[in-house]
């Protein structure tokens, strides 16, 4: 009987990610072990560890796959919109997306939360994408003469910090949507005024 050809490492890695995601969805992150994932795939735990050195590394990879699949959160807006309106739309889109994750994909939210708390790569890269989008909006505001920042990159990082109360997973899980939307609008008004100040 011919031996089954060995699968490529990338295919095995994707199988592990997909099975882990399925089991996390069914049972929750805490209840699923590496041994459970391996058994469901008919492989040894050692084979899972060959691709992911720990359960945390597996969570990071799943979160990265999820966070990397959210291009609509970072979609460009009509260039004719003033920068403050672009900023508000971006923040509200991110907020809405995060709230949907909490309601519809709690297991994914739990993993994303873990990447943020543990400062894993997926969480860091997601923040970098947010900062880059904010930087783009600020630079456009400078080009249009609305903003007068000497360092758009520094301003973008500061704005990301200020927006944490309406974008950080830990903080938004405690409030209702209406409260968060109102807070987001107030923060954007404050940020827009600060960005118009040449001292920023």
């Amino acid at each position: 009987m011919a031996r089954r050809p060995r699968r490529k490492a990338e295919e095995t890695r994707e199988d592990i990610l997909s099975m882990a995601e399925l089991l996390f969805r069914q049972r929750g992150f805490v209840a699923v072990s590496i041994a459970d994932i391996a058994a469901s795939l008919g492989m040894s735990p050692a084979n899972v560890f060959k691709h992911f050195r720990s359960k945390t590394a597996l969570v990071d990879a799943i979160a990265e796959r999820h966070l990397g699949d959210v291009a609509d959160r970072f979609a460009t807006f009509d260039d004719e919109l003033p920068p403050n309106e672009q900023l508000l739309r971006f923040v509200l889109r991110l907020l809405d997306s995060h709230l949907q994750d909490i309601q519809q994909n709690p297991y994914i939210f739990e993993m994303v939360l873990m990447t943020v708390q543990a400062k894993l790569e997926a969480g860091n890269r997601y923040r970098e994408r947010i900062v880059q989008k904010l930087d783009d909006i600020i630079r456009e505001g400078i080009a249009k003469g609305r903003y007068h920042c000497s360092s758009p990159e520094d301003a973008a990082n500061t704005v990301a910090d200020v927006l944490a109360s309406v974008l950080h997973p830990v903080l938004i899980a405690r409030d209702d949507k209406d409260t968060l939307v109102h807070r987001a609008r107030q923060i954007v008004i404050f940020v827009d005024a600060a960005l118009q100040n040449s001292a920023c």
Side-chain angles (χ1 to χ4, degrees):
M1 189 168 150
R3 290 180 64 185
R4 190 172 65 180
R6 296 186 69 175
R7 305 194 71 215
K8 293 180 180 176
E10 188 56 36
E11 292 175 345
T12 301
R13 188 177 188 279
E14 285 301 311
D15 287 347
I16 293 169
L17 284 176
S18 295
M19 181 56 69
E21 194 168 337
L22 175 66
L23 293 176
F24 290 150
R25 185 195 307 261
Q26 291 172 344
R27 303 184 211 166
F29 166 72
V30 175
V32 176
S33 67
I34 291 289
D36 294 329
I37 297 164
S40 296
L41 289 167
M43 64 175 63
S44 70
N47 198 22
V48 176
F49 282 118
K50 186 168 84 174
H51 295 275
F52 301 97
R53 66 186 181 282
S54 66
K55 187 175 172 184
T56 301
L58 183 58
V59 166
D60 192 32
I62 292 171
E64 172 64 24
R65 187 159 75 168
H66 174 70
L67 293 173
D69 191 31
V70 289
D72 59 316
R73 300 183 189 189
F74 299 90
T76 56
F77 306 109
D78 184 347
D79 289 342
E80 298 305 311
L81 289 174
N84 58 317
E85 187 61 30
Q86 290 192 41
L87 179 61
L88 179 60
R89 288 191 183 196
F90 176 61
V91 171
L92 292 180
R93 182 178 288 168
L94 275 179
L95 173 59
D96 190 56
S97 181
H98 289 174
L99 291 173
Q100 284 182 29
D101 282 346
I102 292 171
Q103 294 171 352
Q104 298 172 10
N105 302 304
Y107 75 103
I108 283 285
F109 178 75
E110 181 183 13
M111 286 186 286
V112 169
L113 184 58
M114 181 179 171
T115 69
V116 171
Q117 290 173 327
K119 296 188 177 358
L120 300 180
E121 285 305 306
N124 291 338
R125 282 191 291 269
Y126 190 60
R127 179 188 158 85
E128 286 169 10
R129 291 182 70 192
I130 290 173
V131 169
Q132 182 57 59
K133 181 62 179 177
L134 292 170
D135 185 273
D136 291 345
I137 293 171
I138 292 168
R139 287 180 190 277
E140 187 171 333
I142 292 170
K144 291 183 174 179
R146 182 179 183 90
Y147 300 149
H148 308 285
C149 298
S150 57
S151 175
E153 185 179 348
D154 289 346
N157 273 289
T158 301
V159 173
D161 291 340
V162 171
L163 289 169
S165 66
V166 291
L167 295 182
H168 195 288
V170 174
L171 301 176
I172 68 172
R174 309 186 246 203
D175 287 313
D176 62 272
K177 183 173 182 177
D178 289 342
T179 299
L180 290 166
V181 168
H182 175 73
R183 186 181 302 149
R185 290 181 182 280
Q186 294 303 113
I187 290 172
V188 168
I189 290 170
F190 178 81
V191 164
D192 179 61
L195 291 171
Q196 291 179 67
N197 185 330
S198 60
C200 75

